[in-house]
Amino acid sequence: MIQISTHIYCDSLFESMDIANKLLPNQYKDFPYLIIKNFFSQASCERLVQLVQKDEETKRKAQVKKEVIAGIVQAEVVEEYRKTNIYKLDSLYAKYYDDQFIKYKSVIEEYFSVALTLSTDVQVLEYKEGFFYIKHADDSSEIINKAKQTIAFKLVAPQRKLSTVLFATSHKTNVQNGAQSFSGGELMFNYLYNSKGEPVKIKPEAGDMIIFPSNPYFSHEVLPVEEGYRLTLVQWHDAI
């Protein structure tokens, strides 16, 4: 393993790989990702969950990018890879989100030593019981050989430098309020490990935002939700 921050290591496979986007925070940071507590208030999270759960008419299956012949990229539902629902963020919440992001923008830029430029629209992603998202990197496609070994990563979204995930519900070992919490459903970084060699799993409180580079070092998956309701706001950011 390779130590990339005080408490976190990455898989040694990256020693021999040419990664196009190698953005990493200073190795003397405690963690290679940033968690902002209370980005949204608890009350705002609860209200957002209520709005989304009522928004059945605009719900549609989340789409994933699939590369086909001639380099054309088309979006389609592939539930083998990802099972989740996507919503458009309410206009009042969109303003609240933008105001909060501006408030923390300088903190994020300092942590990763970048200047943020453009951002995508915010996606509201809903995970019910049994929903999941398999391992992926936000800016690259993983190339695997016949032995199912990772041999390279192909950059497909160079404008994605940082990823942000805001949790509107909390991870709980024992779910008591199925609308506001969930068990399982951890955000797991597949190539990041703690000092014991265990994969890093994020178990958030509602209102937490995690920010991490979009590159393959931070390949991740959403483990299947065992119980309850997982709601997140996801966005990608370009930076220089």
Side-chain angles (χ1 to χ4, degrees):
M1 297 191 299
I2 307 166
Q3 188 167 10
I4 60 172
S5 71
T6 302
H7 301 297
I8 301 298
Y9 301 77
C10 76
D11 198 299
S12 57
L13 69 85
F14 290 102
E15 286 183 311
S16 59
M17 286 193 181
D18 182 19
I19 304 297
N21 171 19
K22 290 187 176 181
L23 175 62
L24 291 171
N26 188 295
Q27 63 181 355
Y28 295 107
K29 300 284 188 183
D30 284 347
F31 299 95
Y33 46 81
L34 173 64
I35 295 178
I36 298 174
K37 304 293 291 185
N38 300 312
F39 186 93
F40 268 19
S41 68
Q42 294 291 314
S44 295
C45 289
E46 291 177 6
R47 177 58 179 156
L48 178 59
V49 169
Q50 293 171 358
L51 286 174
V52 172
Q53 290 184 335
K54 290 179 180 179
D55 194 19
E56 294 294 331
E57 292 183 0
T58 60
K59 183 170 63 178
R60 62 185 176 86
K61 292 288 180 68
Q63 295 179 322
V64 296
K65 294 178 180 176
K66 182 179 180 182
E67 188 169 351
V68 296
I69 57 173
I72 299 172
V73 176
Q74 64 181 21
E76 61 180 37
V77 175
V78 185
E79 288 196 359
E80 179 183 354
Y81 305 139
R82 178 181 190 179
K83 188 175 183 182
T84 182
N85 295 321
I86 188 169
Y87 296 82
K88 182 178 179 180
L89 189 60
D90 173 85
S91 60
L92 291 177
Y93 268 92
K95 184 179 186 309
Y96 177 40
Y97 181 98
D98 288 343
D99 289 344
Q100 288 296 97
F101 196 87
I102 291 171
K103 177 180 175 181
Y104 290 106
K105 182 172 180 283
S106 62
V107 175
I108 297 169
E109 291 178 327
E110 186 281 328
Y111 197 89
F112 294 98
S113 299
V114 298
L116 294 169
T117 55
L118 300 176
S119 300
T120 65
D121 292 336
V122 177
Q123 291 187 0
V124 183
L125 300 181
E126 174 191 68
Y127 292 81
K128 298 182 178 182
E129 290 181 23
F131 284 25
F132 62 92
Y133 196 166
I134 67 168
K135 180 178 71 169
H136 64 283
D138 285 341
D139 75 347
S140 301
S141 294
E142 188 168 356
I143 300 174
I144 299 172
N145 62 17
K146 292 182 179 180
K148 297 185 178 180
Q149 298 172 323
T150 299
I151 58 174
F153 290 89
K154 179 183 178 182
L155 184 65
V156 295
Q159 72 281 8
R160 293 183 178 183
K161 300 299 192 304
L162 289 176
S163 303
T164 56
V165 180
L166 172 61
F167 296 88
T169 54
S170 300
H171 181 276
K172 302 288 185 183
T173 302
N174 297 309
V175 174
Q176 295 179 343
N177 184 341
Q180 300 294 335
S181 60
F182 61 94
S183 63
E186 297 94 337
L187 175 63
M188 185 173 80
F189 291 101
N190 304 92
Y191 299 119
L192 299 185
Y193 308 95
N194 61 23
S195 59
K196 297 179 181 179
E198 301 166 331
V200 172
K201 296 180 182 179
I202 305 300
K203 301 177 180 181
E205 290 289 334
D208 289 354
M209 173 181 274
I210 183 170
I211 304 100
F212 55 90
S214 305
N215 60 46
Y217 290 89
F218 295 83
S219 297
H220 55 281
E221 66 180 289
V222 176
L223 298 178
V225 173
E226 297 172 1
E227 187 178 4
Y229 186 79
R230 184 187 194 271
L231 190 71
T232 58
L233 277 62
V234 178
Q235 192 176 32
W236 296 275
H237 312 268
D238 203 347
I240 55 175

